Amino acid sequence: MPNTLEPIDLRILGALQKDGRLTNQALSSQVGLSTSPCWRRVRQLEETGVIQGYTATLDRRQIGLGVLAFIRVKIDSHSEAEAEKFSHDVLKLSEVVACYSIAGDADFLLQVVAADLDSYADFAMAVVRRLPRIKEMQTTFVLKEIKAFKGFPLDVDQR
């Protein structure tokens, strides 16, 4: 699929990553395309799953989530069924804002938010630690957010 994206698609995606609230008219003007073809391309990008949705980017501190942490988790078994069960359990946890299956000395990396250290400790010990199949977990706290995720790099010139 990535090879089928044309430069105009990348310009559309770049503009929408910066501002998902752009009207079709503003978007078409920004990317240099008339409104009807622009609208068709956006619809195609949505229908093919390249654009998976539109969200507002929130400042976690402004909504009372002062702690950002990463938890590296090792599970007891490396069977596919056990990993799937762990993944299913993690999907239910709203404090886990992202979860990745990783290579290396751990099996999963969880990105977690909490109001404060006490809230984090309660969550880690009462919820995460008690998930079945956890062999080991290690927390790394974010002291300062240098560059938060704002979107994927889309370099039209490299395609």
Side-chain angles (χ1 to χ4, degrees), residues 68-100:
L68 176 60
F70 291 90
I71 306 174
R72 295 165 46 89
V73 174
K74 293 181 188 180
I75 58 174
D76 285 332
S77 170
H78 289 96
S79 74
E80 187 174 335
E82 291 295 317
E84 284 296 320
K85 177 66 175 131
F86 179 84
S87 299
H88 179 72
D89 291 345
V90 167
L91 287 174
K92 299 174 188 174
L93 305 175
S94 60
E95 296 88 345
V96 177
V97 296
C99 176
Y100 306 94

Short mmCIF file of all heavy atoms in Angstrom, two decimals, residues 68-100:
data_model
loop_
_atom_site.label_atom_id
_atom_site.label_comp_id
_atom_site.label_asym_id
_atom_site.label_seq_id
_atom_site.Cartn_x
_atom_site.Cartn_y
_atom_site.Cartn_z
N LEU A 68 3.71 10.33 33.15
CA LEU A 68 3.83 9.53 31.93
C LEU A 68 4.94 8.52 32.18
O LEU A 68 6.04 8.90 32.60
CB LEU A 68 4.18 10.43 30.73
CG LEU A 68 4.43 9.74 29.39
CD1 LEU A 68 3.20 8.96 28.92
CD2 LEU A 68 4.83 10.77 28.35
N ALA A 69 4.64 7.26 31.97
CA ALA A 69 5.62 6.21 32.25
C ALA A 69 5.55 5.14 31.16
O ALA A 69 4.56 5.00 30.46
CB ALA A 69 5.33 5.58 33.61
N PHE A 70 6.64 4.40 31.06
CA PHE A 70 6.71 3.25 30.19
C PHE A 70 6.97 2.03 31.05
O PHE A 70 7.84 2.07 31.93
CB PHE A 70 7.82 3.40 29.14
CG PHE A 70 7.51 4.47 28.13
CD1 PHE A 70 7.90 5.78 28.35
CD2 PHE A 70 6.83 4.16 26.97
CE1 PHE A 70 7.62 6.77 27.43
CE2 PHE A 70 6.55 5.15 26.04
CZ PHE A 70 6.94 6.46 26.27
N ILE A 71 6.22 0.98 30.83
CA ILE A 71 6.42 -0.27 31.58
C ILE A 71 6.85 -1.34 30.60
O ILE A 71 6.15 -1.63 29.63
CB ILE A 71 5.12 -0.72 32.29
CG1 ILE A 71 4.55 0.37 33.17
CG2 ILE A 71 5.39 -1.99 33.10
CD1 ILE A 71 3.19 0.02 33.78
N ARG A 72 8.02 -1.91 30.89
CA ARG A 72 8.50 -3.05 30.11
C ARG A 72 8.01 -4.31 30.82
O ARG A 72 8.23 -4.45 32.01
CB ARG A 72 10.02 -3.04 30.01
CG ARG A 72 10.55 -1.84 29.25
CD ARG A 72 12.06 -1.62 29.44
NE ARG A 72 12.85 -2.82 29.33
CZ ARG A 72 13.36 -3.28 28.18
NH1 ARG A 72 13.16 -2.63 27.07
NH2 ARG A 72 14.07 -4.38 28.16
N VAL A 73 7.35 -5.19 30.08
CA VAL A 73 6.75 -6.37 30.68
C VAL A 73 7.29 -7.63 30.02
O VAL A 73 7.36 -7.73 28.79
CB VAL A 73 5.21 -6.34 30.52
CG1 VAL A 73 4.58 -7.64 31.02
CG2 VAL A 73 4.62 -5.14 31.24
N LYS A 74 7.66 -8.59 30.87
CA LYS A 74 7.99 -9.94 30.41
C LYS A 74 6.87 -10.85 30.87
O LYS A 74 6.40 -10.74 32.01
CB LYS A 74 9.30 -10.43 31.04
CG LYS A 74 10.53 -9.68 30.61
CD LYS A 74 11.76 -10.27 31.26
CE LYS A 74 12.97 -9.41 30.99
NZ LYS A 74 14.19 -9.94 31.59
N ILE A 75 6.43 -11.73 29.97
CA ILE A 75 5.40 -12.68 30.36
C ILE A 75 6.02 -14.07 30.51
O ILE A 75 7.11 -14.33 30.00
CB ILE A 75 4.22 -12.70 29.37
CG1 ILE A 75 4.66 -13.02 27.95
CG2 ILE A 75 3.48 -11.37 29.41
CD1 ILE A 75 3.51 -13.18 26.96
N ASP A 76 5.30 -14.94 31.22
CA ASP A 76 5.82 -16.28 31.53
C ASP A 76 6.06 -17.12 30.29
O ASP A 76 7.06 -17.81 30.18
CB ASP A 76 4.83 -17.04 32.43
CG ASP A 76 4.88 -16.56 33.86
OD1 ASP A 76 5.94 -16.07 34.29
OD2 ASP A 76 3.85 -16.66 34.54
N SER A 77 5.13 -17.09 29.38
CA SER A 77 5.18 -17.96 28.22
C SER A 77 5.32 -17.12 26.96
O SER A 77 4.81 -16.01 26.89
CB SER A 77 3.89 -18.79 28.15
OG SER A 77 3.81 -19.46 26.93
N HIS A 78 5.98 -17.68 25.98
CA HIS A 78 6.11 -16.97 24.71
C HIS A 78 5.21 -17.57 23.64
O HIS A 78 5.43 -17.35 22.46
CB HIS A 78 7.58 -16.98 24.26
CG HIS A 78 8.43 -16.08 25.09
ND1 HIS A 78 9.16 -16.56 26.14
CD2 HIS A 78 8.62 -14.76 25.07
CE1 HIS A 78 9.79 -15.54 26.72
NE2 HIS A 78 9.46 -14.44 26.09
N SER A 79 4.19 -18.30 24.08
CA SER A 79 3.26 -18.87 23.11
C SER A 79 2.39 -17.75 22.54
O SER A 79 2.14 -16.74 23.20
CB SER A 79 2.38 -19.94 23.75
OG SER A 79 1.40 -19.35 24.58
N GLU A 80 1.92 -17.96 21.34
CA GLU A 80 1.09 -16.96 20.68
C GLU A 80 -0.21 -16.75 21.45
O GLU A 80 -0.69 -15.62 21.60
CB GLU A 80 0.79 -17.38 19.24
CG GLU A 80 0.07 -16.32 18.45
CD GLU A 80 -0.08 -16.70 16.98
OE1 GLU A 80 0.73 -17.48 16.47
OE2 GLU A 80 -1.02 -16.18 16.36
N ALA A 81 -0.76 -17.82 22.00
CA ALA A 81 -2.02 -17.72 22.75
C ALA A 81 -1.84 -16.87 24.01
O ALA A 81 -2.71 -16.05 24.34
CB ALA A 81 -2.52 -19.11 23.12
N GLU A 82 -0.74 -17.05 24.71
CA GLU A 82 -0.48 -16.26 25.93
C GLU A 82 -0.28 -14.79 25.60
O GLU A 82 -0.78 -13.91 26.30
CB GLU A 82 0.75 -16.81 26.67
CG GLU A 82 0.54 -18.17 27.30
CD GLU A 82 -0.50 -18.15 28.41
OE1 GLU A 82 -0.49 -17.21 29.24
OE2 GLU A 82 -1.32 -19.08 28.44
N ALA A 83 0.45 -14.51 24.53
CA ALA A 83 0.66 -13.13 24.12
C ALA A 83 -0.66 -12.49 23.70
O ALA A 83 -0.92 -11.33 24.04
CB ALA A 83 1.67 -13.07 22.97
N GLU A 84 -1.50 -13.22 23.01
CA GLU A 84 -2.81 -12.71 22.61
C GLU A 84 -3.68 -12.42 23.83
O GLU A 84 -4.37 -11.41 23.89
CB GLU A 84 -3.53 -13.69 21.68
CG GLU A 84 -2.99 -13.70 20.27
CD GLU A 84 -3.21 -12.38 19.56
OE1 GLU A 84 -4.28 -11.76 19.70
OE2 GLU A 84 -2.28 -11.96 18.85
N LYS A 85 -3.65 -13.29 24.82
CA LYS A 85 -4.44 -13.09 26.04
C LYS A 85 -3.96 -11.86 26.78
O LYS A 85 -4.76 -11.04 27.24
CB LYS A 85 -4.36 -14.34 26.93
CG LYS A 85 -5.08 -14.21 28.25
CD LYS A 85 -6.59 -14.08 28.07
CE LYS A 85 -7.28 -14.08 29.41
NZ LYS A 85 -8.24 -13.02 29.57
N PHE A 86 -2.64 -11.69 26.90
CA PHE A 86 -2.10 -10.50 27.56
C PHE A 86 -2.53 -9.25 26.80
O PHE A 86 -3.00 -8.28 27.39
CB PHE A 86 -0.57 -10.58 27.64
CG PHE A 86 0.04 -9.37 28.28
CD1 PHE A 86 0.12 -9.26 29.65
CD2 PHE A 86 0.50 -8.31 27.51
CE1 PHE A 86 0.66 -8.13 30.26
CE2 PHE A 86 1.03 -7.17 28.09
CZ PHE A 86 1.12 -7.09 29.47
N SER A 87 -2.41 -9.28 25.49
CA SER A 87 -2.80 -8.13 24.66
C SER A 87 -4.27 -7.80 24.86
O SER A 87 -4.64 -6.63 24.99
CB SER A 87 -2.55 -8.43 23.18
OG SER A 87 -1.19 -8.67 22.94
N HIS A 88 -5.10 -8.80 24.90
CA HIS A 88 -6.54 -8.61 25.10
C HIS A 88 -6.81 -7.95 26.46
O HIS A 88 -7.63 -7.04 26.56
CB HIS A 88 -7.26 -9.95 24.99
CG HIS A 88 -8.73 -9.86 25.21
ND1 HIS A 88 -9.59 -9.30 24.29
CD2 HIS A 88 -9.50 -10.25 26.25
CE1 HIS A 88 -10.81 -9.35 24.76
NE2 HIS A 88 -10.79 -9.93 25.95
N ASP A 89 -6.11 -8.41 27.50
CA ASP A 89 -6.29 -7.83 28.84
C ASP A 89 -5.84 -6.38 28.89
O ASP A 89 -6.50 -5.54 29.51
CB ASP A 89 -5.50 -8.64 29.89
CG ASP A 89 -6.08 -10.03 30.13
OD1 ASP A 89 -7.24 -10.28 29.71
OD2 ASP A 89 -5.37 -10.87 30.72
N VAL A 90 -4.75 -6.06 28.23
CA VAL A 90 -4.21 -4.69 28.23
C VAL A 90 -5.14 -3.73 27.50
O VAL A 90 -5.27 -2.57 27.90
CB VAL A 90 -2.78 -4.67 27.63
CG1 VAL A 90 -2.32 -3.26 27.32
CG2 VAL A 90 -1.80 -5.34 28.59
N LEU A 91 -5.81 -4.20 26.46
CA LEU A 91 -6.72 -3.34 25.70
C LEU A 91 -7.84 -2.78 26.58
O LEU A 91 -8.40 -1.73 26.27
CB LEU A 91 -7.33 -4.11 24.53
CG LEU A 91 -6.40 -4.39 23.36
CD1 LEU A 91 -7.08 -5.29 22.34
CD2 LEU A 91 -5.93 -3.10 22.71
N LYS A 92 -8.14 -3.42 27.68
CA LYS A 92 -9.22 -2.98 28.58
C LYS A 92 -8.77 -1.89 29.55
O LYS A 92 -9.59 -1.32 30.25
CB LYS A 92 -9.72 -4.17 29.39
CG LYS A 92 -10.31 -5.28 28.55
CD LYS A 92 -10.66 -6.46 29.44
CE LYS A 92 -11.06 -7.66 28.62
NZ LYS A 92 -11.25 -8.85 29.47
N LEU A 93 -7.48 -1.60 29.61
CA LEU A 93 -6.94 -0.67 30.61
C LEU A 93 -6.83 0.73 30.02
O LEU A 93 -5.97 1.00 29.18
CB LEU A 93 -5.57 -1.16 31.09
CG LEU A 93 -5.53 -2.59 31.65
CD1 LEU A 93 -4.10 -2.99 31.98
CD2 LEU A 93 -6.44 -2.72 32.86
N SER A 94 -7.67 1.65 30.48
CA SER A 94 -7.66 3.00 29.92
C SER A 94 -6.38 3.76 30.25
O SER A 94 -5.99 4.65 29.50
CB SER A 94 -8.88 3.79 30.40
OG SER A 94 -8.88 3.90 31.81
N GLU A 95 -5.72 3.42 31.33
CA GLU A 95 -4.46 4.10 31.69
C GLU A 95 -3.34 3.76 30.72
O GLU A 95 -2.37 4.50 30.61
CB GLU A 95 -4.02 3.69 33.11
CG GLU A 95 -4.96 4.11 34.20
CD GLU A 95 -6.05 3.09 34.49
OE1 GLU A 95 -6.27 2.17 33.68
OE2 GLU A 95 -6.70 3.21 35.55
N VAL A 96 -3.45 2.64 30.03
CA VAL A 96 -2.47 2.25 29.01
C VAL A 96 -2.88 2.91 27.71
O VAL A 96 -3.86 2.53 27.09
CB VAL A 96 -2.39 0.72 28.86
CG1 VAL A 96 -1.40 0.34 27.75
CG2 VAL A 96 -1.99 0.06 30.18
N VAL A 97 -2.14 3.94 27.31
CA VAL A 97 -2.50 4.70 26.11
C VAL A 97 -1.86 4.14 24.84
O VAL A 97 -2.27 4.48 23.73
CB VAL A 97 -2.18 6.20 26.27
CG1 VAL A 97 -3.03 6.80 27.38
CG2 VAL A 97 -0.70 6.44 26.54
N ALA A 98 -0.86 3.27 25.00
CA ALA A 98 -0.25 2.59 23.86
C ALA A 98 0.42 1.32 24.39
O ALA A 98 0.89 1.29 25.53
CB ALA A 98 0.78 3.47 23.16
N CYS A 99 0.44 0.30 23.56
CA CYS A 99 1.09 -0.96 23.93
C CYS A 99 1.73 -1.54 22.68
O CYS A 99 1.11 -1.55 21.61
CB CYS A 99 0.06 -1.93 24.51
SG CYS A 99 0.75 -3.56 24.90
N TYR A 100 2.95 -2.00 22.83
CA TYR A 100 3.70 -2.55 21.70
C TYR A 100 4.28 -3.90 22.09
O TYR A 100 4.79 -4.07 23.19
CB TYR A 100 4.86 -1.62 21.31
CG TYR A 100 4.41 -0.20 21.04
CD1 TYR A 100 4.46 0.77 22.04
CD2 TYR A 100 3.92 0.16 19.79
CE1 TYR A 100 4.03 2.06 21.80
CE2 TYR A 100 3.50 1.46 19.55
CZ TYR A 100 3.55 2.40 20.55
OH TYR A 100 3.13 3.68 20.31
#
